């Protein structure tokens, strides 16, 4: 579940970052994709960390 949350939050942050920098539609998609992947990886590590604690 945390992976999906990280994916969505990362995509939103990436799109906002590209919009703030004045990017066009393809820039928005690229930033959203990259930040979504980064968010998903962070969410995966957090999920694994939480599972190991239990």
């Amino acid at each position: 579940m945390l992976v999906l949350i990280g994916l969505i939050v990362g995509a939103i942050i990436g799109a906002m970052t590209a919009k703030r920098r004045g990017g066009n539609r393809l820039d928005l998609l690229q930033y959203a994709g990259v930040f979504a992947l980064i968010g998903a990886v962070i969410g995966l590590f957090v999920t694994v960390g939480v599972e190991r604690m239990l």
Side-chain angles (χ1 to χ4, degrees):
M1 194 69 182
L2 293 176
V3 175
L4 293 176
I5 293 171
L7 186 91
I8 293 169
V9 171
I12 292 170
I13 291 172
M16 288 177 12
T17 301
K19 187 78 167 175
R20 191 176 329 120
R21 292 185 181 187
N24 59 17
R25 189 179 333 153
L26 291 177
D27 291 332
L28 289 172
L29 288 173
Q30 183 179 5
Y31 270 75
V34 169
F35 276 67
L37 287 174
I38 292 170
V41 169
I42 291 171
L44 180 67
F45 283 131
V46 170
T47 302
V48 169
V50 167
E51 288 295 324
R52 288 208 175 249
M53 289 179 153
L54 297 177

